[in-house]
């Protein structure tokens, strides 16, 4: 074969290889252009659809989701990059389907974006089982509740892990809950006296280790137990919320504070089966004002010092409060045998209507079980109470105007009673003796005082007993 014949043969071989490559390429489906990501809920949860928020890595085109779990987070629609509606994450909003995973997926997506909003839209009811929404998240996260969040209505459908709280928010900072909607604990089944009800009952909305948290405008109703709780938190503001549960619903405190500092609760309406506001140990710098309370047990500091524990509460201001049809008004209650202190507390501008006992300090607070124990053991000592002011408290009562039941071992000191005008709702109460209204309490009074027997409630600060009282306080104040 000459040179020209060899070149022609090489050409035919090259052309044959090119044709084979072209044929092979024609058998491969060409890659389409990258599709636009949709936030539509139906597309997001369709098993055939591609997961959102993914990217290609290397030549293999492998995918990696931004968030683990059953529902990867989609991108928000263009023009609304900070709003994450739960409907876009598979929520049905029919009040029957379990929307817990959708809420959690929306939370995880929003948690990564500064100034993001998790949206619970109006016109829908979202059934949510016990859930934890956890930080830390980017600043200024908002949970916008305009619809209704529903708890499971039957006790038997709650897991054991959810018996302490329903919606649990942990480690959230610079965070707001707001909206025109409701958080409904559907607690009626929990309030029955049936044996199938566990002793532990869940709080509807609980914050643990929160900082710079605001809760405003929403309604919280029918919690199995406490409605709104803050534990180990700081810089808390509650504004213009409504809390509602029946008068006979047991232990359904409205707002419960424990180990929480720098709190303002204002312009809210609370009616429940226990304390409208309960301030427990470890609380400091709390201001509660412009609250309508009733029904319920009033606003309480305590009970403090249970099981001979140490309790410390300080710098509490409660003012501009109206109580209507409550068992009590403003109260401090401590368990016998406790230690610690309550100091620098002010109750002022209080209006009471049809209230059992408007003013109460009870250092011998205990339930029936403890009474039996106390009858067998001599529990000495009490949480020391000092620096308490009652000023401008007016209205009517159904039992007695005041009860200062202080400990003989650790009496109450530096108690001021100023401008108190309380009248019995019935003439039959007007002749009630006032000598047993106050025990082991010391301080000063200032007119006007109605009934006038309130003037005899307090031993004077110049009493020689005060030196011994001061010594007893030093034993108990270990805060």
């Amino acid at each position: 074969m000459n040179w020209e014949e060899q070149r022609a043969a090489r050409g035919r071989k090259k052309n044959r290889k090119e044709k084979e490559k072209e044929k092979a390429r024609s058998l491969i489906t060409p890659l389409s252009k990258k599709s636009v990501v949709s936030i539509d809920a139906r597309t997001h949860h369709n098993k055939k659809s591609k997961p959102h928020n993914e990217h290609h890595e290397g030549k293999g085109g492998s995918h990696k989701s931004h968030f683990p779990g059953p529902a990867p987070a989609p991108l928000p629609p263009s023009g609304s990059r900070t709003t994450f509606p739960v409907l876009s994450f598979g929520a049905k909003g029919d009040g029957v389907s379990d929307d817990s995973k959708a809420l959690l997926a929306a939370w995880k997506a929003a948690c990564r974006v500064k100034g993001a909003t998790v949206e619970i839209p109006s016109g829908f009811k979202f059934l949510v089982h016990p859930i934890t929404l956890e930080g830390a998240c980017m600043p200024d996260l908002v949970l916008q509740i305009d619809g209704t969040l529903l708890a499971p209505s039957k006790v038997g459908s709650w897991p054991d892990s959810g018996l302490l709280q329903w919606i649990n928010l942990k480690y959230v900072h610079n965070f707001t809950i707001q909206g025109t909607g409701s958080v409904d604990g559907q607690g009626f089944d929990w309030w029955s006296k049936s044996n199938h009800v566990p002793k532990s009952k869940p709080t509807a909305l609980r914050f643990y280790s929160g900082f710079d948290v605001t809760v405003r405008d929403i309604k919280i109703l029918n919690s199995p137990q406490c409605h709104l709780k803050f534990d180990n938190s700081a810089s808390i503001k509650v504004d213009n919320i409504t809390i509602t549960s029946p008068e006979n619903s047991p232990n359904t405190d409205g707002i419960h504070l424990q180990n929480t500092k720098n709190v303002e609760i204002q312009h809210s309406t609370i009616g429940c089966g226990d304390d409208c506001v309960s301030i427990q140990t470890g609380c400091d710098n709390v201001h509660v004002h412009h609250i309508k309370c009733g029904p319920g047990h009033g606003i309480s500091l305590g009970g403090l010092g249970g099981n001979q524990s140490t309790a410390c509460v300080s710098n509490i201001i409660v003012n501009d409060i109206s109580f209507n049809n409550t068992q009590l008004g403003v109260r401090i209650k401590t368990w016998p045998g406790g230690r610690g202190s309550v100091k620098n507390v002010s109750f002022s501008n209080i209006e009471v209507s049809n209230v059992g006992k408007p003013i109460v300090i009870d250092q011998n607070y205990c339930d029936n079980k403890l009474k039996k124990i106390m009858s067998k053991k001599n529990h000495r000592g009490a949480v020391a109470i000092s620096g308490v002011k009652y000023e401008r408290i007016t209205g009517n009562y159904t039992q007695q105007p005041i009860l200062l039941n202080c400990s003989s071992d650790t009496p109450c000191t530096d108690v001021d009673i100023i401008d108190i005008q309380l009248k019995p709702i019935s003439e039959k109460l007007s002749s009630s003796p006032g000598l047993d209204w106050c025990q082991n309490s010391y301080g000063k009074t200032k007119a006007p005082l109605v009934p006038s027997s309130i003037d005899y409630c307090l031993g004077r600060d110049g009493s020689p007993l005060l030196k011994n009282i001061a010594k007893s306080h030093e034993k108990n104040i270990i805060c």
Side-chain angles (χ1 to χ4, degrees):
M1 182 181 298
N2 59 29
W3 178 84
E4 291 183 354
E5 289 175 338
Q6 289 178 354
R7 186 173 65 176
R10 285 196 298 270
R12 288 192 298 271
K13 185 177 181 181
K14 182 178 180 180
N15 290 337
R16 188 165 56 250
K17 288 183 178 181
E18 289 294 330
K19 288 181 181 180
E20 288 175 353
K21 289 181 181 180
E22 185 65 27
K23 183 179 180 180
R25 281 195 293 267
S26 67
L27 295 176
I28 300 175
T29 303
L31 291 173
S32 60
K33 293 182 179 180
K34 189 176 181 180
S35 59
V36 177
V37 178
S38 171
I39 197 169
D40 185 84
R42 297 170 186 83
T43 304
H44 175 65
H45 276 269
N46 188 328
K47 293 183 179 179
K48 295 181 180 180
S49 62
K50 294 182 180 180
H52 298 289
N53 274 4
E54 61 186 20
H55 61 274
H56 298 283
E57 294 182 350
K59 296 181 180 180
S62 63
H63 303 302
K64 183 178 180 181
S65 175
H66 284 298
F67 297 102
L75 292 171
S78 58
S80 181
R81 294 292 183 187
T82 61
T83 301
F84 297 80
V86 292
L87 289 174
S88 298
F89 291 79
K92 303 299 182 184
D94 56 12
V96 178
S97 304
D98 184 0
D99 290 328
S100 307
K101 290 182 179 179
L103 174 57
L104 185 59
W107 174 271
K108 286 183 176 181
C111 185
R112 292 173 53 89
V113 180
K114 183 177 180 180
T117 297
V118 177
E119 183 184 47
I120 311 296
S122 62
F124 296 89
K125 294 182 178 180
F126 300 92
L127 178 64
V128 176
H129 285 78
I131 190 171
T132 295
L133 305 177
E134 189 169 340
C137 295
M138 295 294 288
D140 303 317
L141 179 62
V142 174
L143 177 57
Q144 182 75 28
I145 303 176
D146 292 322
T148 300
L149 295 177
L150 289 176
S153 61
K154 298 299 181 183
V155 172
S157 63
W158 286 68
D160 291 342
S161 60
L163 294 181
L164 295 180
Q165 58 268 323
W166 169 31
I167 300 174
N168 186 28
L169 295 117
K170 296 178 67 176
Y171 314 128
V172 292
H173 297 177
N174 308 108
F175 173 72
T176 298
I177 291 180
Q178 64 184 22
T180 59
S182 301
V183 177
D184 189 347
Q186 300 202 99
F188 296 95
D189 198 31
W190 291 90
W191 305 329
S192 71
K193 296 181 180 180
S194 172
N195 291 330
H196 78 281
V197 178
K199 291 183 179 179
S200 297
K201 300 177 179 64
T203 290
L205 196 59
R206 184 234 187 183
F207 287 86
Y208 178 79
S209 196
F211 179 79
D212 191 10
V213 171
T214 298
V215 180
R216 61 187 175 213
D217 304 331
I218 63 169
K219 299 178 181 65
I220 309 173
L221 56 151
N222 299 324
S223 177
Q225 197 160 347
C226 180
H227 288 76
L228 175 61
K229 180 185 288 188
F230 294 92
D231 287 325
N232 296 87
S233 298
S235 298
I236 305 300
K237 186 168 185 177
V238 179
D239 184 19
N240 192 41
I241 71 167
T242 301
I243 293 176
T244 304
S245 64
E247 184 176 5
N248 62 352
S249 56
N251 300 314
T252 53
D253 294 73
I255 301 174
H256 182 100
L257 307 175
Q258 186 163 327
N259 295 315
T260 295
K261 306 178 188 301
N262 304 326
V263 179
E264 183 175 27
I265 301 171
Q266 65 176 1
H267 301 290
S268 296
T269 300
I270 304 173
C272 56
D274 210 308
D275 296 326
C276 291
V277 179
S278 173
I279 301 171
Q280 299 294 326
T281 185
C283 291
D284 176 67
N285 192 25
V286 177
H287 188 191
V288 181
H289 62 99
H290 294 94
I291 302 295
K292 294 180 180 179
C293 172
H297 295 179
I299 293 177
S300 295
L301 278 61
L304 303 168
N307 297 316
Q308 303 181 60
S309 62
T310 299
C312 302
V313 174
S314 57
N315 302 314
I316 311 297
I317 299 175
V318 178
N319 65 280
D320 296 291
I321 310 292
S322 65
F323 295 100
N324 189 19
N325 295 311
T326 58
Q327 290 186 14
L328 306 161
V330 288
R331 172 172 58 161
I332 301 173
K333 54 180 178 177
T334 67
W335 296 77
R339 303 181 68 188
S341 71
V342 174
K343 59 185 179 181
N344 195 17
V345 179
S346 173
F347 303 107
S348 63
N349 295 338
I350 310 292
E351 295 182 1
V352 298
S353 176
N354 200 37
V355 171
K357 299 174 184 177
I359 300 172
V360 175
I361 294 178
D362 188 359
Q363 279 185 297
N364 297 297
Y365 172 79
C366 58
D367 57 20
N368 291 329
K369 289 183 178 179
L370 183 60
K371 285 180 181 177
K372 292 179 181 179
I373 297 173
M374 293 291 291
S375 65
K376 298 178 181 180
K377 296 182 179 181
N378 182 20
H379 284 289
R380 298 186 61 81
V383 177
I385 297 175
S386 63
V388 181
K389 179 188 289 186
Y390 299 95
E391 186 172 10
R392 293 185 300 280
I393 301 179
T394 62
N396 58 58
Y397 59 90
T398 62
Q399 296 179 33
Q400 65 188 64
I402 189 170
L403 173 66
L404 303 183
N405 181 19
C406 295
S407 166
S408 59
D409 188 62
T410 311
C412 305
T413 61
D414 193 18
V415 178
D416 292 345
I417 300 178
I418 304 168
D419 189 4
I420 308 298
Q421 300 182 58
L422 297 169
K423 299 180 179 180
I425 200 167
S426 168
E427 293 181 359
K428 295 179 180 179
L429 294 169
S430 61
S431 59
S432 298
L435 296 178
D436 61 347
W437 290 349
C438 305
Q439 300 177 45
N440 306 308
S441 51
Y442 296 84
K444 63 178 183 291
T445 61
K446 183 177 181 181
L449 297 174
V450 178
S452 58
S453 53
I454 291 178
D455 191 34
Y456 302 99
C457 263
L458 301 175
R460 301 311 177 206
D461 283 338
S463 167
L465 291 175
L466 284 183
K467 291 184 179 180
N468 293 330
I469 293 171
K471 290 180 180 180
S472 69
H473 278 202
E474 289 175 0
K475 295 178 183 177
N476 290 279
I477 300 175
I478 54 176
C479 296

